[in-house]
Amino acid sequence: MFEVVIGLEVHVQLNTKTKLFCSCPTSFNHKQNTNTCPTCLALPGALPVLNKEVLHKSVMFGTAVSATINQTSYFDRKSYFYPDSPSAYQITQLYTPVVEHGKLRIDFEDGTHKIIRINRAHIEADAGKNIHDGPISKVDLNRAGTPLLEIVSEPDMRSAEEVTLYLKKLHSIIRYLDIGDANMQEGSFRVDVNVSIRPKGDEKLYTRVEIKNINSFRFIQRAIELEVARQIEAWEDGVYARDICQETRLFDQVKQETRSMRGKEEAADYRYFPEPDLLKVVITDEMMREYSKIPELPDEKMARFVRDYEMNEYSASVLTSAVEMAHYFESMMEEGISAKNALAWLTTELQGRFKGEVNITNSPVEAKKLALLVKRIEDGTISGKAAKDVLDFLMEKGGDVDSAIDTLGLKQVSDTGAIEAICDAIINANQDKVIEYRSGKDKLFGFFVGQVMKESKGSANPATVNDILKAKLG
Ligand code: ADP
Ligand code: ZN
Ligand code: MG
């Protein structure tokens, strides 16, 4: 009877070397308040100068979501006082953002899809950080002035599932474009969730509540569930108008509730006005051509994998959702191995061996090495079973594939002379079985193969063993 309506604001920290309006480095693990200058400390008289790289990355994003790029955009001043913002205002883009009217496609498990409209993406400066240390609070301004791209969706999402799909796709695109780390835990991908409900069929939008401070996909799902339940209950109890107001709420993961943080400011409270210290932002046609060059995106890559490698959509999506995974796979494929083997050895064998902090970005076995291992199976040097031992060895001890095969003594014997000798020995030792086999007990063939494999300690090439035994047993 109710429909859930959700719109998201996502703050993406752009991975530029320097800050938005000054040349201070953006790196974080530095001593507090050392990455600062008169501009980001907001000392009187210091003037901001726009970092071109921020513009470049914003245009790349706009291009990736098929948006309109405003070749002329403006900065605005949003006034508010908070100790982590020494200027007492934030420079942002309210009236004419650099990116407008984009769209992002989400795909459901049942094969259907939906387009989520992006209202805008604008450039703004981040604040510093307040650090609360017992009775004392401190301010670290290293982050002040770091460039953010705030991506604002239309209220097009109707469930927590759609929200998760949208965020995962957005995250994936940022990583493919390499314009940000997009790390939720570290705060370089911050999500504000706006939630309202309405009777099904109703077209108008009802009061939205904004939930901030949620730093994992699981918590976002949970916060939505809790907030929707709270609004529905208020409606059913007849107290919706009294209890549900436009406000900012915090998600408390310990108490499992959302609670009021502050009333939502109206735009008027911020006294927005055009930023007098900056010129309008102009992107020339030449800059447009340069900035709108973007790499292949996850959807295109997935379609290409399905087409070129004859894999199903599920496998292709596993390989393409994270850019590091896609690059790893592509690097393996350059070695001329089969896609099917590359897929299995990457997703099942290699990933199955990841523990703790180890993942595709820091795997001790890199793509070329894993590809060579697969190649050694394909050219008959080792069996698939032996390759698993080789991979264990490489994960633990490192080194190269061929030496590992030698060290472990796993080279498959395809040398017919050696296998023939073993076959002869097995046949001689089992004359009774040979007679039975020749008189029609076909099933015994497996017994002979097994004995030969055992004698060779698994190193004989099974196809060669089969051929030789067939010839000898008749
Ligand atoms: P603010 O910065 O004041 O939160 P924005 O316009 O930047 O305002 O963001 C508003 C967000 O809230 C957008 O993502 C929009 O889609 C969403 N939104 C607006 N109205 C509703 C509503 N009634 N229900 C849910 N989401 C809404
Ligand atoms: Zn600075
Ligand atoms: Mg908001």
Side-chain angles (χ1 to χ4, degrees), residues 101-225:
H101 313 309
K103 46 185 191 277
L104 192 135
R105 175 185 158 136
I106 57 174
D107 288 88
F108 299 101
E109 258 177 44
D110 67 4
T112 58
H113 70 268
K114 175 173 172 177
I115 301 293
I116 307 295
R117 293 168 302 155
I118 290 173
N119 170 283
R120 52 155 54 208
H122 61 257
I123 299 167
E124 62 184 29
D126 207 349
K129 264 185 190 158
N130 293 326
I131 301 160
H132 305 290
D133 187 3
I136 303 167
S137 288
K138 304 173 189 170
V139 180
D140 176 11
L141 293 172
N142 277 356
R143 198 181 67 180
T146 298
L148 299 176
L149 189 64
E150 177 173 348
I151 302 157
V152 182
S153 85
E154 294 291 347
D156 285 351
M157 284 156 272
R158 296 289 171 268
S159 65
E161 186 205 1
E162 293 187 9
V163 167
T164 304
L165 290 171
Y166 171 87
L167 289 173
K168 289 204 161 146
K169 179 57 79 60
L170 190 60
H171 184 272
S172 175
I173 289 173
I174 307 279
R175 298 290 310 131
Y176 266 70
L177 297 173
D178 193 21
I179 59 173
D181 295 343
N183 185 318
M184 237 188 218
Q185 276 75 45
E186 290 173 5
S188 52
F189 188 87
R190 305 201 285 268
V191 183
D192 298 344
V193 185
N194 295 274
V195 185
S196 65
I197 57 164
R198 66 183 173 195
K200 263 221 164 76
D202 210 335
E203 293 285 304
K204 88 175 228 254
L205 291 170
Y206 284 76
T207 306
R208 75 175 149 114
V209 164
E210 181 188 56
I211 316 169
K212 275 194 184 298
N213 210 25
I214 344 181
N215 64 359
S216 81
F217 284 108
R218 199 160 53 85
F219 290 156
I220 287 171
Q221 291 222 0
R222 187 71 189 126
I224 292 171
E225 266 169 34

Side-chain angles (χ1 to χ4, degrees), residues 456-473:
S456 79
K457 301 200 175 60
S459 71
N461 183 330
T464 316
V465 172
N466 265 286
D467 292 346
I468 294 175
L469 280 175
K470 279 230 171 77
K472 288 192 185 290
L473 291 168

Side-chain angles (χ1 to χ4, degrees), residues 26 31 43 68 131 174 179 187 196 264 315 332 389:
T26 48
K31 197 168 172 289
L43 298 185
T68 305
I131 301 160
I174 307 279
I179 59 173
S196 65
K264 180 74 204 172
S315 303
M332 286 181 81
D389 296 338

